[in-house]
Amino acid sequence: MEPLLRIEGLSVMLAPGLSPVRGVDLSIARGECLGLVGESGSGKSMLALSLLRLLPRGAQLGGRVFFDGRDIAALPAEALPALRGRRIAMVFQEPMAALNPLMRVGMQVAEPLRHHLGLSARAAARRAEELLAQVGIPDPARRAASWPHELSGGMRQRVTIAIALACGPDLLIADEPTTALDATIQAQIVSLLRRLRRELGLSMLLITHDLGVVAGMADRVA
């Protein structure tokens, strides 16, 4: 079976002579979790951002990225918003930086539902509470009205996971999802991701330098 994601010779050049990603070949099967392991600064996050074409201005992307049989590296810019968050979603490393401090939590979970799925404000708000409950946030109706700074680090990361899963993506990119958390909360987030992957049939690219996280989640390691 054709893999869900197949990367051939991927490279990213930020400036002449500065290429943090060079000649990468990877594949992820449907329902598989691939652990991408490397030290800090080795280009892991840049590779993930290149899949969504979220690169710095002027960066050049080389190689081919086949997602569900289509070369998304060759897509025009106007076709990318329909892909980001809808088919491929990402959980970022630092939840406080990923969340908008000026928007209540429920509104941020509801935003992709309204943008991609066309839900009404009321239906999106109701679904946002369901998603918050799904990722293990207690009293989701009350937490939906909270500001990001009112939540703990572990709860903020659960919110970013809820946002990523809102539109039922096929591929979830988790970029160091436990790095900013203490050991107990790390274990809870790993257990949550493992459960959601099983329940939703997600494919996952797990980026980390923590071999313990990889051992608990990944089917293969690159």
Side-chain angles (χ1 to χ4, degrees):
M1 182 181 295
E2 177 73 12
L4 178 66
L5 179 73
R6 177 162 51 89
I7 301 171
E8 298 179 349
L10 182 69
S11 63
V12 177
M13 186 168 69
L14 301 180
L18 179 58
S19 297
V21 179
R22 297 181 298 277
V24 175
D25 298 314
L26 288 176
S27 67
I28 301 177
R30 297 176 188 274
E32 180 182 38
C33 178
L34 176 70
L36 181 61
V37 179
E39 64 186 20
S40 296
S42 62
K44 305 185 302 298
S45 294
M46 186 65 69
L47 185 149
L49 293 171
S50 70
L51 300 182
L52 292 170
R53 303 260 294 275
L54 296 174
L55 295 172
R57 188 181 302 275
Q60 297 182 21
L61 181 67
R64 300 201 290 178
V65 180
F66 291 97
F67 176 74
D68 203 13
R70 181 171 60 162
D71 186 0
I72 59 176
L75 287 178
E78 56 269 21
L80 295 173
L83 182 75
R84 299 170 180 151
R86 181 66 183 92
R87 302 290 311 280
I88 303 176
M90 189 164 178
V91 177
F92 293 91
Q93 181 174 155
E94 175 46 65
M96 196 57 188
L99 295 173
N100 186 338
L102 303 180
M103 288 178 65
R104 295 184 188 273
V105 164
M107 293 178 63
Q108 298 191 56
V109 180
E111 189 175 38
L113 295 166
R114 300 193 68 187
H115 176 75
H116 288 294
L117 304 184
L119 297 188
S120 67
R122 178 175 296 181
R126 187 166 53 248
R127 177 59 181 149
E129 292 179 11
E130 293 172 356
L131 286 160
L132 291 174
Q134 185 178 26
V135 298
I137 292 183
D139 196 359
R142 183 169 68 90
R143 291 303 184 185
S146 299
W147 302 97
H149 71 268
E150 296 177 315
L151 304 183
S152 68
M155 291 181 72
R156 285 195 293 264
Q157 191 64 295
R158 290 174 187 268
V159 171
T160 66
I161 294 170
I163 294 171
L165 297 178
C167 297
D170 300 290
L171 176 65
L172 179 67
I173 302 171
D175 184 10
E176 300 275 12
T178 63
T179 294
L181 307 174
D182 63 51
T184 301
I185 304 302
Q186 281 186 12
Q188 293 177 7
I189 295 299
V190 168
S191 178
L192 171 65
L193 288 172
R194 189 187 300 118
R195 174 176 63 80
L196 292 171
R197 180 192 159 209
R198 182 178 64 251
E199 292 177 354
L200 304 177
L202 285 170
S203 299
M204 187 181 298
L205 176 61
L206 174 65
I207 298 172
T208 184
H209 58 261
D210 188 328
L211 295 179
V213 173
V214 168
M217 288 191 62
D219 299 307
R220 289 189 300 121
V221 177

